[in-house]
Amino acid sequence: MPVLALLCAVLVVGFEQLVEWRYGATGLVGLLLLSVGIRAKSPAVSSAGAVLLALLLAGPAL
């Protein structure tokens, strides 16, 4: 069980670093809003994070 928790933690930290490297601080804020909104069960906060990440991903296409 501790190995699974450690593996999940490493995966999450690695994903956060990838988002920050690729999309900068704005991507990290969007990911933070999304995860906080999901944990707090707040649709408004999680939607704001999802919209911010979607705008970053679709930025070059717009």
Side-chain angles (χ1 to χ4, degrees):
M1 190 66 150
V3 174
L4 183 61
L6 181 64
L7 183 63
C8 287
V10 168
L11 186 67
V12 167
V13 170
F15 182 70
E16 286 177 352
Q17 290 296 322
L18 177 69
V19 168
E20 185 178 4
W21 170 73
R22 179 87 167 117
Y23 299 108
T26 310
L28 191 61
V29 168
L31 188 62
L32 180 69
L33 283 172
L34 183 63
S35 63
V36 166
I38 289 172
R39 287 185 185 150
K41 292 185 172 60
S42 173
V45 176
S46 59
S47 295
V51 167
L52 186 61
L53 287 174
L55 285 174
L56 283 173
L57 289 172
L62 297 176

